[in-house]
């Protein structure tokens, strides 16, 4: 099967993304991870551009083993000299020389005639070959170049020793069918085309970088230049993860493979995002947070019946973890039952119907309903929470010029524990004593007191809403004719709910 060479330019073209500057330490970390990912070539930078770029390419060439290490150079003596120095210590060094060939670039930017450009390209490829065997040449803006002239340049640089010729769609102008034809023409018209690897390098100005690259592969391209997360100049380059997964998922169509360990894709995406500070859009193919999330009830139902109904790739294949069914207002009963089951809660049809109604009401108000919300619904409505801790003794002191303090005795199974604490008032003192015994640490979000009966001996009911140190939110309720005791009961009820929630979550995570 044909092997497509994956040339990663995250550290060169990717770093040209506005705002994506990386320091040398970050570049080395990314380069090492790219090597683990299995890319064939790392374009580590543009050594003449700055001292920092030179050092990064030099350091990567010295420490990263596996892929070829490439540096970029204009068709100029000083660029190639610097580049050669920077990549020298690599086991497999590559020098990548570029020179524009489109009429627009030759006339307005380089101010040179075609014949001069042709000579310059051939001369500097030969010059670079004095330094290393592996020289790549790119006719910049190839897709807007005169095709006969482009073919002459390609032939000349191959004759001068270029081992790879890369055809860039520098400004992302080409359409897939057009770009595919261009590759086919070069392959068939250039007499020595089979003496070099034909590569492509597509930009995403019209959102077609990946499509153009894949069309090129179908028409004979053997190397694809791409970047992690599709970073790159302006709208970016072809995204590495999309190219690799398209070739893998549609092997039936492309009949080729790559050396990429696809299970490492998500990891490199996170790393590049963290180090560049450029966030990955949630709906980004392959590595976006939503790439394997399903919210529509019909889709969730399908996924639960048979994954391939709505998933063409397995999240595990890109190192993403697992499919996520987002419970929201579009979700159905099937998804709710499945999620609750995973949380260790199995409900009868009647109870499920009750829970589903509460869930839908909540989902109307909240974009995503989390596991904690579901457990809260179930605890509130359906399942009685086990009384892990029970108040078996209770005393408090409070008054004018008396420091409020409380002593609480809690029983858990056969174990009885007693603790005292002072506080800002008797309720606070009770809560601190309860925390000492249970180890729970809560932030009180809400406290309310109401009477449930009338008269001086009315029953007071306290409701609390608290959040634990790990962010789990629970509510608690307690009633007594003594409102301090009602407050303590509500707090203990919240602790018991937290214990219950944690036990179910642990079960889920195991
Ligand atoms: O987009 C481009 O043309 C380039 C070349 C230097 C290959 O990045
Ligand atoms: Zn580019």
């Amino acid at each position: 099967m044909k092997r497509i060479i994956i040339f990663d330019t995250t550290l060169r073209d990717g770093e040209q993304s506005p705002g994506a500057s990386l320091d040398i330490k970050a570049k080395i970390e990314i380069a090492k991870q790219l090597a683990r990912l299995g890319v064939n070539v790392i374009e580590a930078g543009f050594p003449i551009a700055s001292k920092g770029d030179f050092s990064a390419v030099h350091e990567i060439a010295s420490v990263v083993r596996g892929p070829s290490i490439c540096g970029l150079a204009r068709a100029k003596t000083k660029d190639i000299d610097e580049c050669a120095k920077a990549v020298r210590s690599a086991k497999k060094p590559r020098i990548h020389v570029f020179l524009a060939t489109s009429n627009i670039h030759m006339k307005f930017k380089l101010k040179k005639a075609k014949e001069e450009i042709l000579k310059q390209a051939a001369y500097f490829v030969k010059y670079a070959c004095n330094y290393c065997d592996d020289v790549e040449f790119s006719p910049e803006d190839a897709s807007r170049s005169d095709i006969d002239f482009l073919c002459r340049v390609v032939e000349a640089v191959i004759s001068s020793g270029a081992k790879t010729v890369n055809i860039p769609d520098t400004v992302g102008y080409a359409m897939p069918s057009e770009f595919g034809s261009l590759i086919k023409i070069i392959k068939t018209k250039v007499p020595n085309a089979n003496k070099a690897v034909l590569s492509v390098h597509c930009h995403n100005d019209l959102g077609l970088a990946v499509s153009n690259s894949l069309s090129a592969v179908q028409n004979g391209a053997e190397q694809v230049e791409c970047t992690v997360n599709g970073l790159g100049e302006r709208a970016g380059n072809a995204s590495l993860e999309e190219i690799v997964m398209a070739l893998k998922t549609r092997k039936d169509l492309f009949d080729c493979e790559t050396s990429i360990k696809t299970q490492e894709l998500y990891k490199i995406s996170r790393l590049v995002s963290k180090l560049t500070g450029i966030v990955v859009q949630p709906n980004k193919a392959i590595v976006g947070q939503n790439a394997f999330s399903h919210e529509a009830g019909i889709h969730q139902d399908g996924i639960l019946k048979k994954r391939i109904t709505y998933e063409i790739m397995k999240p595990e294949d890109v190192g993403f973890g697992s499919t996520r069914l987002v419970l929201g207002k579009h979700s159905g009963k099937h998804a709710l039952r499945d999620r609750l089951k995973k949380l260790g809660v199995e409900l009868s049809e009647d109870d499920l119907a009750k829970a589903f109604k509460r869930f839908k009401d909540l989902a109307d108000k909240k974009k995503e309903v989390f596991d904690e919300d579901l457990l809260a619904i179930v605890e509130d409505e359906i399942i009685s929470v086990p009384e892990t801790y029970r108040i078996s003794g209770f005393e408090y002191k409070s008054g004018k010029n008396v420091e409020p303090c409380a002593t609480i005795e809690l029983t858990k199974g056969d174990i009885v524990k007693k603790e005292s604490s002072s506080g800002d008032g008797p309720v606070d003192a009770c809560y601190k004593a309860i925390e000492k015994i249970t180890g729970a640490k809560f932030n009180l979000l809400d406290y309310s007191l109401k009477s449930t009966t009338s008269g001086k001996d009315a029953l007071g009911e306290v409701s609390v809403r608290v959040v634990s140190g790990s962010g789990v939110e629970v509510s608690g309720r307690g009633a007594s004719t003594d409102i301090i005791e009602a407050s303590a009961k509500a707090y203990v009820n919240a602790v018991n709910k937290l214990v219950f929630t944690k036990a179910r979550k642990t079960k889920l995570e195991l």
Side-chain angles (χ1 to χ4, degrees):
M1 195 177 284
K2 195 168 129 187
R3 263 262 158 125
I4 300 297
I5 300 166
I6 297 295
F7 177 115
D8 179 273
T9 182
T10 307
L11 298 175
R12 200 278 295 169
D13 219 330
E15 209 215 3
Q16 287 171 221
S17 286
S21 184
L22 293 161
D23 63 22
I24 184 159
K25 199 163 148 260
K27 285 188 183 179
I28 293 167
E29 197 178 340
I30 292 174
K32 285 184 174 166
Q33 190 55 38
L34 286 169
R36 265 175 237 129
L37 178 69
V39 304
N40 307 101
V41 186
I42 295 176
E43 187 165 53
F46 190 4
I48 197 75
S50 71
K51 277 209 178 96
D53 248 45
F54 178 90
S55 308
V57 178
H58 186 265
E59 197 54 27
I60 290 168
S62 310
V63 301
V64 177
R65 292 289 172 254
S68 300
I69 306 299
C70 174
L72 184 68
R74 288 169 297 183
K76 287 178 189 257
T77 312
K78 61 177 183 328
D79 280 40
I80 296 172
D81 292 345
E82 281 299 284
C83 186
K85 259 193 258 163
V87 296
R88 198 168 42 199
S89 44
K91 270 242 163 79
K92 293 181 273 177
R94 178 180 290 194
I95 298 176
H96 179 188
V97 180
F98 74 99
L99 183 63
T101 51
S102 67
N103 288 341
I104 301 171
H105 279 232
M106 288 189 293
K107 181 171 174 196
F108 297 107
K109 185 179 90 177
L110 302 172
K111 304 191 193 314
K112 282 192 174 145
K114 277 184 175 169
E115 296 311 310
E116 254 182 293
I117 294 290
L118 185 71
K119 261 203 241 150
Q120 193 181 336
Y123 174 82
F124 282 104
V125 165
K126 203 172 244 157
Y127 183 77
C129 287
N130 293 325
Y131 285 115
C132 80
D133 291 341
D134 190 0
V135 172
E136 171 170 331
F137 178 79
S138 287
E140 194 190 6
D141 205 16
S143 54
R144 292 193 300 168
S145 300
D146 169 68
I147 193 149
D148 292 331
F149 178 62
L150 179 64
C151 287
R152 284 177 64 208
V153 172
V154 171
E155 185 182 352
V157 294
I158 295 174
S159 297
S160 300
K163 293 271 174 9
T164 301
V165 178
N166 175 48
I167 305 299
D169 181 25
T170 301
V171 288
Y173 178 73
M175 291 290 129
S177 57
E178 198 182 19
F179 197 63
S181 306
L182 176 64
I183 298 305
K184 196 173 230 155
I185 292 170
I186 294 171
K187 276 261 187 220
T188 49
K189 268 204 165 173
V190 174
N192 55 1
N194 62 352
K195 300 239 158 49
V197 168
L198 195 59
S199 167
V200 289
H201 173 115
C202 298
H203 278 270
N204 207 29
D205 298 68
L206 292 172
L208 294 169
V210 169
S211 306
N212 283 338
S213 307
L214 293 174
S215 171
V217 168
Q218 286 183 300
N219 284 282
E222 297 141 308
Q223 172 178 291
V224 176
E225 302 199 352
C226 44
T227 58
V228 174
N229 296 339
L231 291 182
E233 188 77 43
R234 306 180 308 281
N237 288 59
S239 127
L240 181 149
E241 55 279 5
E242 291 176 27
I243 299 278
V244 168
M245 288 313 288
L247 294 178
K248 183 177 159 105
T249 309
R250 296 306 311 273
K251 211 177 239 173
D252 58 319
L253 192 71
F254 293 105
D255 196 27
C256 57
E257 58 185 8
T258 69
S259 56
I260 299 297
K261 293 181 193 70
T262 61
Q263 297 83 351
E264 296 285 322
L265 285 171
Y266 187 63
K267 199 175 188 184
I268 187 95
S269 163
R270 300 301 308 150
L271 180 70
V272 168
S273 171
K274 182 181 93 183
L275 295 177
T276 57
I278 297 183
V279 292
V280 175
Q281 74 193 63
N283 58 327
K284 162 89 176 63
I286 319 294
V287 291
Q289 275 309 303
N290 294 347
F292 298 96
S293 296
H294 305 265
E295 172 152 340
I298 296 168
H299 291 206
Q300 293 182 342
D301 184 57
I303 285 277
L304 290 168
K305 285 176 175 148
K306 191 83 180 160
R307 191 190 57 79
I308 53 167
T309 51
Y310 287 100
E311 264 182 11
I312 57 165
M313 294 168 275
K314 289 199 202 114
E316 306 88 89
D317 287 350
V318 304
F320 187 79
S322 57
T323 299
R324 207 163 71 95
L325 301 187
V326 179
L327 289 181
K329 66 177 176 185
H330 302 112
S331 304
K333 225 189 244 175
H334 190 170
L336 178 66
R337 182 195 284 117
D338 181 75
R339 191 73 197 144
L340 284 173
K341 196 167 167 199
K342 286 190 177 132
L343 288 166
V345 181
E346 289 199 55
L347 300 180
S348 65
E349 279 309 313
D350 278 359
D351 286 344
L352 183 68
K354 268 196 246 166
F356 188 63
K357 189 181 170 314
R358 278 280 305 266
F359 158 70
K360 280 284 183 181
D361 291 346
L362 183 64
D364 260 341
K365 294 181 206 125
K366 212 167 173 267
K367 178 76 194 116
E368 187 175 345
V369 179
F370 298 106
D371 292 346
E372 287 75 24
D373 299 318
L374 293 182
L375 287 171
I377 290 174
V378 169
E379 289 152 15
D380 254 26
E381 287 268 318
I382 299 147
I383 293 177
S384 54
V385 175
E387 210 179 12
T388 308
Y389 292 100
R390 185 174 53 79
I391 298 179
S392 45
F394 167 75
E395 219 179 279
Y396 68 92
K397 205 167 64 186
S398 179
K400 204 164 182 230
N401 303 325
V402 177
E403 189 189 20
C405 64
T407 301
I408 302 270
E409 185 186 274
L410 295 183
T411 301
K412 182 185 176 195
D414 297 336
I415 304 162
V416 180
K417 276 193 185 167
K418 198 183 211 178
E419 283 290 350
S420 301
S421 179
S422 55
D424 296 334
V427 173
D428 186 46
C430 281
Y431 288 3
K432 283 190 171 134
I434 294 167
E435 285 175 357
K436 274 192 192 171
I437 300 172
T438 61
K441 197 96 198 93
F442 281 140
N443 253 341
L444 191 63
L445 300 175
D446 198 26
Y447 172 98
S448 68
L449 166 69
K450 66 175 195 244
S451 68
T452 52
T453 51
S454 55
K456 282 190 204 144
D457 59 350
L459 203 60
E461 188 182 276
V462 172
S463 300
V464 290
R465 208 157 52 78
V466 295
V467 61
S468 74
S470 56
V472 180
E473 209 177 301
V474 280
S475 56
R477 238 179 277 154
S480 169
T481 45
D482 179 333
I483 56 170
I484 306 300
E485 189 181 6
S487 304
K489 280 184 170 173
Y491 210 64
V492 170
N493 183 233
V495 172
N496 286 335
K497 282 189 179 175
L498 181 74
V499 172
F500 175 75
T501 304
K502 275 200 174 151
R504 291 200 132 62
K505 285 284 283 180
T506 312
K507 207 166 164 188
L508 173 73
E509 275 146 22
L510 281 176

